[in-house]
Amino acid sequence: MYRTALRNVLAHKGRLLMTALAVMLGTAFVAGTMIFSDTFGKAMRDSNSKSYSDVSVQVVDNAAGSRASARQKSESGSAALTDATVQQLAALPGTANARGVVSGFTGVADRGGNLIGQFWSARGANFAPGQDGKDPRYPMAEGQGPKNAKEIALDRRTADKAGYRVGDTVRVAANGPVVEAKLTGIFTTDDPVVNTGGTLTLFDRATAQQLLLEPGRYSSIVLTAKPGTDEDALLAQAEPKVPSGHQFVIETGAKLKADEQEMITKGTDSLRTVLLAFAGISLFVGIFIIANTFTMLVAQRTKELALLRAIGASRKQVTRSVLVEALAIGTVSAVAGLLAGVGIGAGMQSLIRTLNENLPQGSLVIKPLTVAVTLAVGVLVTVLSALLPAMRASRIAPVAAMSSGDQPTSQKGLVVRNTIGSLLAAGGLGLIGFGASTGDDSGRMPVALGAFLALIGVFVLLPLLSRPVIALVGPLLRKLAGTPGKLAQQNAVRNPRRTASTAAALTIGLTLVSGLTVMGASVTGAIDKAVTSSMKADYLVGAANGMDLSDKVPAEIAKAPGVTASSPLTSVYWELNGVTKSISGLNADSFDQLTSVKLTSGSTAALGQGQLLVDQDVATRFNVTTGSTMTVTYPDRSSGQLTVGGVYEKAGMVGPVVLANSEIVKHEPKPHISEVLVKGKDGATGALKQSLKDATGANPVIEVKSKQDVRDGFSQAITVILNLMYGLLAMSVLVAILGVINTLAMSVFERKREIGMLRAIGLDRRGIKRMVRLESVVISLFGAGIGILLGCFIAWAINSTLKSSLNGLTTVLPYGQLALFLLLAGLVGLVAALWPARRAAKLDILASIKTD
């Protein structure tokens, strides 16, 4: 029996090729994902470990995260890391060297005045030379380190990117005014900021403290141990010398390195989990192809299997023979998938390198676990997918009909299948509806479980659905394609189970793709509405790093040519009726020119009278209306009364509570300034944008954004995520295409006599090709249509659970994109049918008719 099984594999090489490809692609995705994540993780760990090469003990002041926070802590009398602390730590018996480190955000402008790189990876630090005038942490490749406030040094990559040379004037900015300094040195470093594509600017110590923190203060101190002193011993010596306070954290270099390695490992593990989830989708799609292939092979070998039973083969032997075929195919495919996975892993690494050339690289890491998992997955998926067809093969009686074709499904079997499918689908849809009705995150688990059950239920019911759904297009096919169209429609519903298995692969992909698209469009619309619906200003001026603007910026912008109205958007946190609330501040005289809020009562003129405006949620929560008073507690713990001058519908940009800036500064002289709203004389023009840029000193850190820029910023982020998802789902779509090709090719072989008869009675080769292509298109559109409907319904349910988190979220159906998906599905069916249609048209008439 085993020899028979292996002979069958070799005898049906062409028919099993697509199945092997499906398994190979799925396992290649698994192997490639594991190889890439292991390689990338090792490269990241190796790169980041270098940053602690000279660190035996590090003391960090978590309160020194920015200049503003450092000054606030200093003003409140908190302890800090100072030169005295450095000297005390340097005097420890086990300390070979103590270095004070200043670190903070610093943007570098290119020659056009734009920020180099991304704001989240733009850093500044202090140059700390030793007695020889060199800083071993930042060795100079050209020139020398900065010595005064008018000098800086840049890392090699940043200097090369902007085309700067030693002696050039460079514009840099932290969170204050622009600094124009001479580039005195270009250095190399293994600092992780630079290694991951960021920019690093070095100042002399005093300038770094002035710009990034405050004079005399450090963000951290690094100690290097003397030979013979271990890190734990130095830590014990240093702990008593560190100022008391919860903001100070002292750790050994080994602990810092271990924590960094653990964080990177968790990050790469999360990445691997996401990628493996999409690989699992591809394998899930492959299951339908494998099961479909073996079902058809068993049907085509009815005579052969019946003969084996007649000469004494038992049911178990027949089952084993089919499973041995699956085992052989799975093993070969898994090995090929492993080899292809090595290529995919290398390709993904090259792609990451292309996207960011500064990310660390390393040689491919192929762990034994990767090999074992890939082989096990490939073999198990193939064998389990073939199990049901194998069991069907064992039930073939010795006296079975000697003709090829599927054994008829019993009425009882159909009733059981449709009953199970109906129960699963109904239960899943019910759970989805229940989860959506909650309107908050408590409904997400029922929606997730319901989506899974509904998807399985729909798969089970696809054979039942195929006949009535495909029958709807019958008249259209007959009208457009005549006899070939009629035959294509009949062929598509002749074997509903096979049609359903073929369509199911596309149903999975289109369910996910359409669901993601609907959710993306809905979230984009809600964010756009929340952020820009209340914005009448032509431009928003804010810091690229999201930090506060200098209090000098609003005055500079107000004086810019072309500006007719402007106001800083400030924020403070005060207690209203005993509850801490965020209060937004705007200038009362320009409020109506810059914003648009829909009042339900009161007037915006109340702002000029020192009164509050609150949104409906705040009004309901505190049970206040226009004319009510609220008790406010100020930062100095004094209290007072504020009158509610108006209630408005929720407006994202404005916030829940609004008060005039003139009232806010009475109790908080320096509130946080997040943005400045600007209205121009001629609207949003290029001249006004340049005028605002010039007014801020062409600061690379400051962005001037129109309403459309704000929209584009949100939609671009969502588009990037969607494109990434589409790319990951492309593998499952490719596997689905292979399934359509496989089914059609085997169907053509199975219908050789029928095709020969059609040719004999006058249907030409072009008609045969058209019949096969239309059959493929109909099946593809059937699977895609079911997937799109299910995806839209699931997306609606998920959106319903997000309403409490995202105000104004409604389900948006992007009809254009959904129609495009349907069109692409039809195109997939057309392309998939090219080879089977060509093969069918080339069949010899007499040889086909003679087929047994």
Side-chain angles (χ1 to χ4, degrees), residues 629-650:
T629 58
M630 301 185 74
T631 301
V632 57
T633 303
Y634 302 111
D636 62 1
R637 307 314 299 169
S638 63
S639 60
Q641 299 289 320
L642 287 176
T643 302
V644 176
V647 178
Y648 57 90
E649 293 182 0
K650 266 190 172 184

Side-chain angles (χ1 to χ4, degrees), residues 802-823:
L802 296 173
K803 285 183 178 179
S804 61
S805 306
L806 189 56
N807 183 53
L809 178 64
T810 56
T811 299
V812 177
L813 296 178
Y815 295 104
Q817 287 179 276
L818 296 177
L820 178 62
F821 294 153
L822 204 58
L823 180 64

